[in-house]
Amino acid sequence: MNFDLTDEHQMLQDSLRRFLKYSCNSKTRNEALSSETGVTSDLWHAMAEMGVIGAFFTEEQGGFGGTGADIALVFEELGRANVVSPFLDSALLSGRVLAAAGELDRVADLIGGDLQLALAHGEPTSRYDLNYVRTASVNGILNGRKAVVVNALASDILIVSARTSGKVYDEAGISLYFVEKDAAGLNIQDYALIAGGHAAEVTLDNVQGSLIGEEGKGFALLKEAYAIATVAQCAETLGEMTAATELTQEYLVTRQQFGRPIATFQALAHRMSDMLIEMEQARSAVIRAAGYFESDERTRDINIHAAKNLMGRAGRLIAEESIQMHGGIAMTQEYELAHIAKRITMADHRFGDTDYHLEKFMALTQS
Amino acid sequence: MNFDLTDEHQMLQDSLRRFLKYSCNSKTRNEALSSETGVTSDLWHAMAEMGVIGAFFTEEQGGFGGTGADIALVFEELGRANVVSPFLDSALLSGRVLAAAGELDRVADLIGGDLQLALAHGEPTSRYDLNYVRTASVNGILNGRKAVVVNALASDILIVSARTSGKVYDEAGISLYFVEKDAAGLNIQDYALIAGGHAAEVTLDNVQGSLIGEEGKGFALLKEAYAIATVAQCAETLGEMTAATELTQEYLVTRQQFGRPIATFQALAHRMSDMLIEMEQARSAVIRAAGYFESDERTRDINIHAAKNLMGRAGRLIAEESIQMHGGIAMTQEYELAHIAKRITMADHRFGDTDYHLEKFMALTQS
Amino acid sequence: MDLNYSKDDLAFRDEVRAFLAEKLTKELSEKVRLGGDLTKNDMEGWHAILNAQGWLAPNWPKEHGGAEWNAVQRHIFDDECASSHAPRVVPFGLSMLAPVLQKFGNQLQKDHWLPRILSGEDWWCQGYSEPGAGSDLASLKTKAVREGDDYIVNGQKTWTTFGQHANMIFCLVRTDSKVKQQAGISFLLIDMNTPGIEVRPIILLDGSAEVNEVWFTDVKVPVKNLVGKENDGWTYAKYLLTHERTNIAGVGFSTAGLAAVKRIAKAEMSGGKPLIQNPLFAARVAQVEIDLMAMNTTNLRIVSQAAAGGAPGVEASMLKVKGTIIRQEINDLARRAVGPYAMPFVSEAVEGSNEPLPDPHDAGPVAAQYFNNRKISIFGGSNEIQRGIIAKVKMGG
Amino acid sequence: MDLNYSKDDLAFRDEVRAFLAEKLTKELSEKVRLGGDLTKNDMEGWHAILNAQGWLAPNWPKEHGGAEWNAVQRHIFDDECASSHAPRVVPFGLSMLAPVLQKFGNQLQKDHWLPRILSGEDWWCQGYSEPGAGSDLASLKTKAVREGDDYIVNGQKTWTTFGQHANMIFCLVRTDSKVKQQAGISFLLIDMNTPGIEVRPIILLDGSAEVNEVWFTDVKVPVKNLVGKENDGWTYAKYLLTHERTNIAGVGFSTAGLAAVKRIAKAEMSGGKPLIQNPLFAARVAQVEIDLMAMNTTNLRIVSQAAAGGAPGVEASMLKVKGTIIRQEINDLARRAVGPYAMPFVSEAVEGSNEPLPDPHDAGPVAAQYFNNRKISIFGGSNEIQRGIIAKVKMGG
């Protein structure tokens, strides 16, 4: 048992943290936020060059990492610096689907920073159910609607799930397709997201797709990719929670009310202590989710569900308490915390929320 | 709409409060706690003479009250004075079953203070399910086991539920019987309760019972009696929570640590504020449960379930925070608060706990 | 004790319902229901409709044109308005300034300003908070120096809601800096069109632009616009703060919000069933519904005492804390209920557009509302300040 | 980073398991599992078994007969003991006094007292708290006045766990009342059989009689029983307090407690199904299990840092607060799980009897345990004190 970072991880963390501190600030973020697609291509390419995207894939897949620990490390740093960039959806989630399906040329492009992807899987009434697919494929002709597809507009090509057999909640019979951005019958209604970045409603009206991997076997690829994406999301949120807590600590020490720093008001001091305790718990949950990612599936899933549930609860505490203890200033868009709090809260809406993962955890541990 | 007490209620409250303040103290309570059956017959008779038991029944039943408001008022005072006496089980719960079944002679004895009763309904695996009856009756010969029958040993006669038809969770087919204390085949294994009073495991081995009311129709009587008993339990707990909160307030103001009253420590002050807020909520919940008792059954039940759930949550807060803010002294049996906290907590185990009532509430409001 | 409405109350409720059915347009109520930002016209229109009905000022005495409703009637009205999704009446003139003028203003001030509040001729905003002051209201720094028949005002106010619409502002200003904090404060009425006043919007974290900074540079205010006595403003400010607390529990908003959560959760599917049948979600909904039922009664108990003569002091603080906790919990449930559709950023205010929302359950605004309503436990005396008040009253110190 | 046990760790775990399987009697472990009160013999017997194995003093240096385990080994041992329901080793001599003697005692004291702790010849108890002092430990009043080669001690200690069994007590006493609170305190070792000492039991709210008041009236204590220097006792006391905090997170107890909750909830029926299938109850269990899994890792992270040289300061406070919250939550779940059977009062200690418990799921003690364990967030530095420490370290002030 050993909780120290390896030398390689320590180096990666140091260089990432230094780079992000230098290159990410509210100015670059606001540029990303107000850009047409939510993607800052300079940052994307610079990070790709640093090998950040390569860290998401194993050597066999053309990368030089790919473990839970590699990925958690990168995303925690992205979260800590409050980076708005679609690494999670475009590179990790979509990329791991392609890597598992053996599409290694595309993965190489991705690692090089030359490809933007989007995974169009969720549907208007699927909520967080991964097995819900109503979009239908008949001989590669797709019909249906995909909901809140992150990074759709900026993507070079879409990955779309569709049902080739079975009923709407069946795991078997889900297939994956490439869909060209200029395909006839494809409509992308783009919108900005509260926490930054863009997503879209994607409608498919007799759209030609090209099969990825084996027909009807897409669910396993999706499940695996969503699992690692959930770990990444937890790690990113941990970074954001760290940033929020540090800002709040600093504010309590600096801000004067009634003639003294508000950190000296015991009610606030005790609540800050509770936040710090939950931060340690959150860090442990992420360490477990990342560290057990290579274990057997049950151990892996138990720890991922546990982590996402705990992050949902601790994240809410940290976001809400940070705002409350700051007071009015935290309500303003220009103050860093507002942005961080939105990212922490919106993380609960990705890859299953607090209750969704609690139920999955219950199913695995109480049977 | 009017939240004031009627003149009659005001008088009853004043006289009860005065009487209990005078006659109930830790000495009388410790006598009750250490007595063989948990009943103090002096107090019982004095209260009966004051008309307390009569307040549980309508005029047609031989009493002079019987509304939710009458009953809540009495039990809040009993709770406020931390009285340990089986008014709830012996007089109200059992009495209301008999009154509804038309056994008015027995009710008259009860009102006069000359009868002790016990309702033997719950069974070892029934938990809080009112429709669970496995104890069987064949031609009035009873076989089965009844669990945690409060006041069994002190009772003059037992009321026992048994199944005359149907399956174990059926509402139809539950019948009620008188069973004499000296009946052959009846075994009463008595024990003390944590919150005071006594209960027993009651086993029936070919015991002769005598039918109360109509055969197979006992469930409706039980449901009605449990409903009013739940209101009474909520009111009693409200009284106990008031006592705990007042003790804690007083302690915070008096107790010195680090050279000043601990009430001036902001973390404790804010937590006390939250307790006081929940006390107002608890009072409102009891007012509603009592005030809507005479409404249609759905309105009545919604408000009872709501109240018992809220009292469970608020009660836990008040009991645990009162102990924590007192510190060590609250852990000692001789300090009043320890006894009060036990009564508040154990109330959650009577007539359905916090979650049980939440589920019932959900069933009524979300269908 | 009687928890039911009297016949008169029920008749009054019917009257309110009929009024709302007739006068509140579907367009306006839908905008309110979906959390859209109301235009100045929307708000002024509803103000005028209420005024024409004589229902604009429930708390005012009849002599000034008020309705003089009792607590139960006010509760019924608030409840019906919230469940019909009527716009909230802008409170600054009606519920904040007016009670101060009625109690402390001189006859000229009463005669001049009160009718203009009812008619809508003046739109008032509030100049209390200052940057850096936060909960410590009395530490304010905006200065007013007497010069002849004028005060010259310099300084900055913040969190001024609807400052962009207002033509008048009531301000706390420091007229004596040598005395201790609460002393030396005065209460001034200032025309927003006076030279030297600048209003700058503050964009809140949900993208809304309701609140503002107001800057004063050598602003001339006639001495006749001083309310009461110079340096006695803190007394009037405290009086205003207690009167600010009407409908402080926000029961009506919570009731409407909870109904929306249930509506969404009946439509939203989870694991093949409506979300409302998911026991964990349903339990969250049920718990807050139970809290809200109790809050409704707590509120009625407190306001009916107030109507009977007792002033709502510490009780108002209790209503504020618990009321905001419940409202925020409902906001949280709403954002959970819509699932991934909580993520889109939809703000007509910022984008100036009115595109159809991207999902089937009108989900768009719920996350924005969640973020926006973090403010209700901060502004108007934070919940920490309220807890301090409760503890102080109940335990001294 | 590697979350798995090493081969050596796994071998060590097997060794511990084999030891427990051989040496821990079924009778004793059942008594522990059911929360029964252990006799003095029970505790002394287990102490002797561990001593014979050389595993009694994990933290002691080898020169004094300790095991010198690393953090992971200690964790494994605690974990295995808890899940096998081994008795808890009485910590007062072993984990509290011994580190103080090892660091601050003179050679004579070390040579005399340390072996007697291991052998069990001395049973130590703690004389820290006083009535009225509570969390404000330094305000103690028990006085020791030097007379020749003796101190004469007068005063009262309280919350002295197992004072009824002990033959020795280590005490904080005031030797100088003219200086400020922390100064003027000394650390004395006192024979409980000295004339003038009286032990009175305090019955706790669950009926247990573990803690005591200890009264001192003109008690003569030889000066050689002073540890370190006169008036420097506060330094030793603080050192002891950090060492008191071994296994402070109580992960092993929580793990065993949670297993018991699940066992009960599988047997208990609700609405015709096992309680564990009730979604509301199951969700409560799952949440605390998730917290406990994280706590387990938090604990390992912190103790492995401590092993690597860092002293557990503020981290110990964090473990204490969260560890007690989790344990108390599990106690609460246990009392909920058993339903109406939480109500019977079962205490062998008070009743002196050993009747079979009245229910089918060994439910008897769970409510008593719930009440008894309210103490864990109060004693040993209340959670409020711990939160204060965390805030002070992290934000100064």
PDB file of all heavy atoms in Angstrom, chain D residues 184-207:
ATOM      1  N   GLY D 184       1.967  25.916  35.903  1.00  0.00           N
ATOM      2  CA  GLY D 184       1.614  25.547  37.272  1.00  0.00           C
ATOM      3  C   GLY D 184       0.922  24.212  37.415  1.00  0.00           C
ATOM      4  O   GLY D 184       0.347  23.891  38.445  1.00  0.00           O
ATOM      5  N   ILE D 185       0.933  23.410  36.340  1.00  0.00           N
ATOM      6  CA  ILE D 185       0.322  22.079  36.396  1.00  0.00           C
ATOM      7  C   ILE D 185       1.424  21.027  36.409  1.00  0.00           C
ATOM      8  O   ILE D 185       2.420  21.159  35.688  1.00  0.00           O
ATOM      9  CB  ILE D 185      -0.609  21.883  35.173  1.00  0.00           C
ATOM     10  CG1 ILE D 185      -1.829  22.792  35.303  1.00  0.00           C
ATOM     11  CG2 ILE D 185      -1.016  20.431  35.021  1.00  0.00           C
ATOM     12  CD1 ILE D 185      -2.746  22.789  34.103  1.00  0.00           C
ATOM     13  N   SER D 186       1.259  19.997  37.240  1.00  0.00           N
ATOM     14  CA  SER D 186       2.254  18.915  37.275  1.00  0.00           C
ATOM     15  C   SER D 186       1.590  17.571  37.006  1.00  0.00           C
ATOM     16  O   SER D 186       0.373  17.428  37.103  1.00  0.00           O
ATOM     17  CB  SER D 186       2.962  18.886  38.631  1.00  0.00           C
ATOM     18  OG  SER D 186       3.663  20.097  38.824  1.00  0.00           O
ATOM     19  N   PHE D 187       2.447  16.598  36.672  1.00  0.00           N
ATOM     20  CA  PHE D 187       1.977  15.288  36.245  1.00  0.00           C
ATOM     21  C   PHE D 187       2.412  14.259  37.296  1.00  0.00           C
ATOM     22  O   PHE D 187       3.602  13.983  37.436  1.00  0.00           O
ATOM     23  CB  PHE D 187       2.625  14.996  34.876  1.00  0.00           C
ATOM     24  CG  PHE D 187       2.023  13.841  34.114  1.00  0.00           C
ATOM     25  CD1 PHE D 187       1.247  14.074  32.979  1.00  0.00           C
ATOM     26  CD2 PHE D 187       2.242  12.521  34.491  1.00  0.00           C
ATOM     27  CE1 PHE D 187       0.710  13.020  32.248  1.00  0.00           C
ATOM     28  CE2 PHE D 187       1.696  11.470  33.775  1.00  0.00           C
ATOM     29  CZ  PHE D 187       0.927  11.716  32.647  1.00  0.00           C
ATOM     30  N   LEU D 188       1.441  13.717  38.029  1.00  0.00           N
ATOM     31  CA  LEU D 188       1.755  12.831  39.159  1.00  0.00           C
ATOM     32  C   LEU D 188       1.221  11.421  38.948  1.00  0.00           C
ATOM     33  O   LEU D 188       0.142  11.240  38.378  1.00  0.00           O
ATOM     34  CB  LEU D 188       1.091  13.373  40.441  1.00  0.00           C
ATOM     35  CG  LEU D 188       1.759  14.501  41.211  1.00  0.00           C
ATOM     36  CD1 LEU D 188       0.994  14.705  42.532  1.00  0.00           C
ATOM     37  CD2 LEU D 188       3.230  14.187  41.502  1.00  0.00           C
ATOM     38  N   LEU D 189       1.980  10.446  39.456  1.00  0.00           N
ATOM     39  CA  LEU D 189       1.528   9.052  39.445  1.00  0.00           C
ATOM     40  C   LEU D 189       1.078   8.684  40.856  1.00  0.00           C
ATOM     41  O   LEU D 189       1.858   8.835  41.816  1.00  0.00           O
ATOM     42  CB  LEU D 189       2.679   8.134  39.010  1.00  0.00           C
ATOM     43  CG  LEU D 189       3.442   8.581  37.752  1.00  0.00           C
ATOM     44  CD1 LEU D 189       4.609   7.628  37.469  1.00  0.00           C
ATOM     45  CD2 LEU D 189       2.496   8.663  36.555  1.00  0.00           C
ATOM     46  N   ILE D 190      -0.150   8.238  41.003  1.00  0.00           N
ATOM     47  CA  ILE D 190      -0.700   8.059  42.348  1.00  0.00           C
ATOM     48  C   ILE D 190      -1.246   6.640  42.518  1.00  0.00           C
ATOM     49  O   ILE D 190      -2.001   6.145  41.676  1.00  0.00           O
ATOM     50  CB  ILE D 190      -1.831   9.088  42.628  1.00  0.00           C
ATOM     51  CG1 ILE D 190      -1.323  10.516  42.356  1.00  0.00           C
ATOM     52  CG2 ILE D 190      -2.366   8.945  44.029  1.00  0.00           C
ATOM     53  CD1 ILE D 190      -2.360  11.609  42.575  1.00  0.00           C
ATOM     54  N   ASP D 191      -0.857   6.038  43.638  1.00  0.00           N
ATOM     55  CA  ASP D 191      -1.350   4.704  43.997  1.00  0.00           C
ATOM     56  C   ASP D 191      -2.788   4.844  44.482  1.00  0.00           C
ATOM     57  O   ASP D 191      -3.073   5.597  45.407  1.00  0.00           O
ATOM     58  CB  ASP D 191      -0.447   4.136  45.094  1.00  0.00           C
ATOM     59  CG  ASP D 191      -0.775   2.677  45.395  1.00  0.00           C
ATOM     60  OD1 ASP D 191      -1.949   2.274  45.206  1.00  0.00           O
ATOM     61  OD2 ASP D 191       0.139   1.943  45.815  1.00  0.00           O
ATOM     62  N   MET D 192      -3.709   4.095  43.858  1.00  0.00           N
ATOM     63  CA  MET D 192      -5.131   4.233  44.204  1.00  0.00           C
ATOM     64  C   MET D 192      -5.444   3.697  45.599  1.00  0.00           C
ATOM     65  O   MET D 192      -6.526   3.942  46.128  1.00  0.00           O
ATOM     66  CB  MET D 192      -5.999   3.478  43.175  1.00  0.00           C
ATOM     67  CG  MET D 192      -5.960   4.048  41.778  1.00  0.00           C
ATOM     68  SD  MET D 192      -6.919   5.565  41.607  1.00  0.00           S
ATOM     69  CE  MET D 192      -8.586   4.910  41.422  1.00  0.00           C
ATOM     70  N   ASN D 193      -4.503   2.931  46.156  1.00  0.00           N
ATOM     71  CA  ASN D 193      -4.738   2.389  47.492  1.00  0.00           C
ATOM     72  C   ASN D 193      -4.273   3.322  48.611  1.00  0.00           C
ATOM     73  O   ASN D 193      -4.377   2.982  49.797  1.00  0.00           O
ATOM     74  CB  ASN D 193      -4.046   1.027  47.628  1.00  0.00           C
ATOM     75  CG  ASN D 193      -4.679   0.021  46.677  1.00  0.00           C
ATOM     76  OD1 ASN D 193      -5.910  -0.053  46.581  1.00  0.00           O
ATOM     77  ND2 ASN D 193      -3.851  -0.724  45.955  1.00  0.00           N
ATOM     78  N   THR D 194      -3.736   4.472  48.243  1.00  0.00           N
ATOM     79  CA  THR D 194      -3.329   5.437  49.261  1.00  0.00           C
ATOM     80  C   THR D 194      -4.561   5.893  50.040  1.00  0.00           C
ATOM     81  O   THR D 194      -5.614   6.133  49.447  1.00  0.00           O
ATOM     82  CB  THR D 194      -2.700   6.679  48.587  1.00  0.00           C
ATOM     83  OG1 THR D 194      -1.896   6.263  47.494  1.00  0.00           O
ATOM     84  CG2 THR D 194      -1.860   7.469  49.564  1.00  0.00           C
ATOM     85  N   PRO D 195      -4.437   6.017  51.353  1.00  0.00           N
ATOM     86  CA  PRO D 195      -5.579   6.525  52.142  1.00  0.00           C
ATOM     87  C   PRO D 195      -6.003   7.906  51.648  1.00  0.00           C
ATOM     88  O   PRO D 195      -5.164   8.704  51.238  1.00  0.00           O
ATOM     89  CB  PRO D 195      -5.009   6.617  53.567  1.00  0.00           C
ATOM     90  CG  PRO D 195      -3.855   5.660  53.587  1.00  0.00           C
ATOM     91  CD  PRO D 195      -3.291   5.651  52.198  1.00  0.00           C
ATOM     92  N   GLY D 196      -7.315   8.157  51.670  1.00  0.00           N
ATOM     93  CA  GLY D 196      -7.848   9.464  51.243  1.00  0.00           C
ATOM     94  C   GLY D 196      -8.404   9.456  49.838  1.00  0.00           C
ATOM     95  O   GLY D 196      -8.938  10.465  49.378  1.00  0.00           O
ATOM     96  N   ILE D 197      -8.282   8.331  49.136  1.00  0.00           N
ATOM     97  CA  ILE D 197      -8.842   8.263  47.777  1.00  0.00           C
ATOM     98  C   ILE D 197     -10.161   7.501  47.813  1.00  0.00           C
ATOM     99  O   ILE D 197     -10.258   6.429  48.412  1.00  0.00           O
ATOM    100  CB  ILE D 197      -7.877   7.556  46.804  1.00  0.00           C
ATOM    101  CG1 ILE D 197      -6.602   8.389  46.642  1.00  0.00           C
ATOM    102  CG2 ILE D 197      -8.534   7.332  45.448  1.00  0.00           C
ATOM    103  CD1 ILE D 197      -5.618   7.818  45.654  1.00  0.00           C
ATOM    104  N   GLU D 198     -11.161   8.097  47.193  1.00  0.00           N
ATOM    105  CA  GLU D 198     -12.456   7.427  47.135  1.00  0.00           C
ATOM    106  C   GLU D 198     -12.953   7.419  45.678  1.00  0.00           C
ATOM    107  O   GLU D 198     -12.869   8.426  44.988  1.00  0.00           O
ATOM    108  CB  GLU D 198     -13.466   8.175  48.017  1.00  0.00           C
ATOM    109  CG  GLU D 198     -14.748   7.401  48.214  1.00  0.00           C
ATOM    110  CD  GLU D 198     -15.807   8.266  48.900  1.00  0.00           C
ATOM    111  OE1 GLU D 198     -15.451   9.339  49.444  1.00  0.00           O
ATOM    112  OE2 GLU D 198     -16.983   7.872  48.849  1.00  0.00           O
ATOM    113  N   VAL D 199     -13.449   6.271  45.224  1.00  0.00           N
ATOM    114  CA  VAL D 199     -13.944   6.135  43.849  1.00  0.00           C
ATOM    115  C   VAL D 199     -15.461   5.947  43.890  1.00  0.00           C
ATOM    116  O   VAL D 199     -15.957   5.065  44.595  1.00  0.00           O
ATOM    117  CB  VAL D 199     -13.296   4.911  43.156  1.00  0.00           C
ATOM    118  CG1 VAL D 199     -13.849   4.742  41.743  1.00  0.00           C
ATOM    119  CG2 VAL D 199     -11.784   5.073  43.110  1.00  0.00           C
ATOM    120  N   ARG D 200     -16.173   6.807  43.183  1.00  0.00           N
ATOM    121  CA  ARG D 200     -17.642   6.684  43.139  1.00  0.00           C
ATOM    122  C   ARG D 200     -18.091   6.516  41.696  1.00  0.00           C
ATOM    123  O   ARG D 200     -17.754   7.339  40.848  1.00  0.00           O
ATOM    124  CB  ARG D 200     -18.299   7.960  43.691  1.00  0.00           C
ATOM    125  CG  ARG D 200     -17.950   8.261  45.121  1.00  0.00           C
ATOM    126  CD  ARG D 200     -18.661   9.543  45.548  1.00  0.00           C
ATOM    127  NE  ARG D 200     -18.104  10.044  46.809  1.00  0.00           N
ATOM    128  CZ  ARG D 200     -18.309  11.273  47.272  1.00  0.00           C
ATOM    129  NH1 ARG D 200     -19.043  12.140  46.569  1.00  0.00           N
ATOM    130  NH2 ARG D 200     -17.777  11.651  48.406  1.00  0.00           N
ATOM    131  N   PRO D 201     -18.873   5.484  41.418  1.00  0.00           N
ATOM    132  CA  PRO D 201     -19.292   5.259  40.031  1.00  0.00           C
ATOM    133  C   PRO D 201     -20.275   6.336  39.537  1.00  0.00           C
ATOM    134  O   PRO D 201     -21.065   6.872  40.314  1.00  0.00           O
ATOM    135  CB  PRO D 201     -19.988   3.898  40.088  1.00  0.00           C
ATOM    136  CG  PRO D 201     -20.420   3.737  41.502  1.00  0.00           C
ATOM    137  CD  PRO D 201     -19.421   4.478  42.342  1.00  0.00           C
ATOM    138  N   ILE D 202     -20.179   6.636  38.247  1.00  0.00           N
ATOM    139  CA  ILE D 202     -21.178   7.482  37.591  1.00  0.00           C
ATOM    140  C   ILE D 202     -21.968   6.569  36.648  1.00  0.00           C
ATOM    141  O   ILE D 202     -21.380   5.942  35.760  1.00  0.00           O
ATOM    142  CB  ILE D 202     -20.505   8.590  36.751  1.00  0.00           C
ATOM    143  CG1 ILE D 202     -19.635   9.487  37.616  1.00  0.00           C
ATOM    144  CG2 ILE D 202     -21.551   9.413  36.005  1.00  0.00           C
ATOM    145  CD1 ILE D 202     -18.797  10.486  36.807  1.00  0.00           C
ATOM    146  N   ILE D 203     -23.259   6.484  36.864  1.00  0.00           N
ATOM    147  CA  ILE D 203     -24.074   5.659  35.964  1.00  0.00           C
ATOM    148  C   ILE D 203     -24.394   6.493  34.730  1.00  0.00           C
ATOM    149  O   ILE D 203     -24.928   7.595  34.824  1.00  0.00           O
ATOM    150  CB  ILE D 203     -25.385   5.219  36.644  1.00  0.00           C
ATOM    151  CG1 ILE D 203     -25.124   4.612  38.016  1.00  0.00           C
ATOM    152  CG2 ILE D 203     -26.134   4.226  35.732  1.00  0.00           C
ATOM    153  CD1 ILE D 203     -24.337   3.345  38.006  1.00  0.00           C
ATOM    154  N   LEU D 204     -24.056   5.956  33.558  1.00  0.00           N
ATOM    155  CA  LEU D 204     -24.350   6.700  32.326  1.00  0.00           C
ATOM    156  C   LEU D 204     -25.786   6.440  31.867  1.00  0.00           C
ATOM    157  O   LEU D 204     -26.466   5.563  32.375  1.00  0.00           O
ATOM    158  CB  LEU D 204     -23.365   6.306  31.223  1.00  0.00           C
ATOM    159  CG  LEU D 204     -21.915   6.719  31.473  1.00  0.00           C
ATOM    160  CD1 LEU D 204     -21.089   6.526  30.209  1.00  0.00           C
ATOM    161  CD2 LEU D 204     -21.818   8.171  31.936  1.00  0.00           C
ATOM    162  N   LEU D 205     -26.205   7.211  30.884  1.00  0.00           N
ATOM    163  CA  LEU D 205     -27.620   7.187  30.495  1.00  0.00           C
ATOM    164  C   LEU D 205     -28.072   5.845  29.948  1.00  0.00           C
ATOM    165  O   LEU D 205     -29.251   5.546  29.927  1.00  0.00           O
ATOM    166  CB  LEU D 205     -27.948   8.338  29.531  1.00  0.00           C
ATOM    167  CG  LEU D 205     -27.601   8.217  28.056  1.00  0.00           C
ATOM    168  CD1 LEU D 205     -28.142   9.427  27.309  1.00  0.00           C
ATOM    169  CD2 LEU D 205     -26.160   8.029  27.810  1.00  0.00           C
ATOM    170  N   ASP D 206     -27.120   5.012  29.504  1.00  0.00           N
ATOM    171  CA  ASP D 206     -27.511   3.683  29.031  1.00  0.00           C
ATOM    172  C   ASP D 206     -27.484   2.664  30.159  1.00  0.00           C
ATOM    173  O   ASP D 206     -27.682   1.476  29.916  1.00  0.00           O
ATOM    174  CB  ASP D 206     -26.577   3.239  27.910  1.00  0.00           C
ATOM    175  CG  ASP D 206     -25.149   3.078  28.409  1.00  0.00           C
ATOM    176  OD1 ASP D 206     -24.722   3.887  29.245  1.00  0.00           O
ATOM    177  OD2 ASP D 206     -24.473   2.137  27.975  1.00  0.00           O
ATOM    178  N   GLY D 207     -27.221   3.121  31.368  1.00  0.00           N
ATOM    179  CA  GLY D 207     -27.202   2.224  32.511  1.00  0.00           C
ATOM    180  C   GLY D 207     -25.834   1.648  32.816  1.00  0.00           C
ATOM    181  O   GLY D 207     -25.670   0.941  33.808  1.00  0.00           O
TER     182      GLY D 207
END
